[in-house]
Amino acid sequence: MTAGETNFWGEPNDRPSRVEGPCINRTLNAYVVGAAAGTFFAACQLAWYPDPIQTVGRFARNTGPSDSKAVMRVIARPAFWMSAAGAAFAAAECTAEAARGKTDSVNAAIGGMAGGFVMGSVTKKPGVAFSSSLAMGLLMFALDMTGPSPVWEGNQAALTEKMYGHLPKTHKESEALASLKEKYPKFKNV
């Protein structure tokens, strides 16, 4: 859910905006997007390794087509972990926003720490989970601090004019170009 968006799919000149709305909607949205990303990752991983995915014994000699149970297990694991990390981020960020009463980058850092802890817990090592929690918290703080747009806000109007403005009806040369054409008349019509 975004505030001020009139087009769900976005036009080429739409700029990113903050995700707003109730906590449950934000968490479910992050969960679904995480599950979709995990499923896509798993599908790419399955396509990358052409060997059949099977659940046969260790010393099996006959290899056949992929087993659907094994394929589902390969797909389910990244889908679960990515959706869990996305949901943990969204829930923690929204809870921090409600508890603190502020909408700032600290909430993103708290959400990033929760998501990073979930990502690090895949390794089942507390040190890795803690360090990934701190690293993701710092990364999310930095990303939120810079804002939703990749362009500095002071240059936003000039960039919009440059990208979507209209060219003047007659071209006006700069003084530097006019002086160069006088200096080099051979290249006057270039």
Side-chain angles (χ1 to χ4, degrees):
M1 301 175 97
T2 56
E5 287 284 331
T6 56
N7 186 353
F8 181 77
W9 300 107
E11 292 293 326
N13 59 349
D14 282 347
R15 292 286 167 217
S17 56
R18 289 192 169 276
V19 177
E20 295 176 345
C23 283
I24 190 74
N25 288 359
R26 291 162 62 176
T27 304
L28 286 175
N29 184 27
Y31 183 81
V32 169
V33 169
T39 303
F40 177 74
F41 173 79
C44 292
Q45 190 177 21
L46 284 170
W48 190 263
Y49 300 107
D51 300 332
I53 310 296
Q54 297 177 338
T55 56
V56 294
R58 183 174 177 181
F59 299 107
R61 293 209 166 233
N62 298 350
T63 58
S66 292
D67 183 14
S68 62
K69 182 179 175 184
V71 169
M72 290 308 294
R73 186 174 49 242
V74 169
I75 291 174
R77 188 166 192 246
F80 169 76
W81 283 112
M82 287 190 182
S83 63
F89 170 80
E93 182 186 32
C94 192
T95 304
E97 185 178 309
R100 295 179 63 238
K102 295 180 186 177
T103 303
D104 58 2
S105 299
V106 175
N107 299 334
I110 293 169
M113 290 174 76
F117 190 83
V118 171
M119 288 191 308
S121 66
V122 173
T123 64
K124 298 178 184 166
K125 296 179 182 177
V128 172
F130 180 74
S131 61
S132 66
S133 172
L134 291 178
M136 283 304 294
L138 183 62
L139 177 66
M140 291 297 116
F141 178 81
L143 287 175
D144 192 67
M145 184 67 93
T146 59
S149 178
V151 178
W152 180 60
E153 294 300 323
N155 293 341
Q156 189 67 46
L159 178 69
T160 303
E161 178 63 30
K162 183 185 282 188
M163 289 173 59
Y164 305 107
H166 298 286
L167 291 173
K169 299 217 184 275
T170 58
H171 177 69
K172 183 180 178 228
E173 291 182 347
S174 66
E175 293 177 18
L177 181 61
S179 67
L180 284 172
K181 284 186 175 183
E182 287 177 13
K183 189 173 182 180
Y184 303 102
K186 179 177 169 183
F187 300 104
K188 186 176 185 178
N189 296 324
V190 175

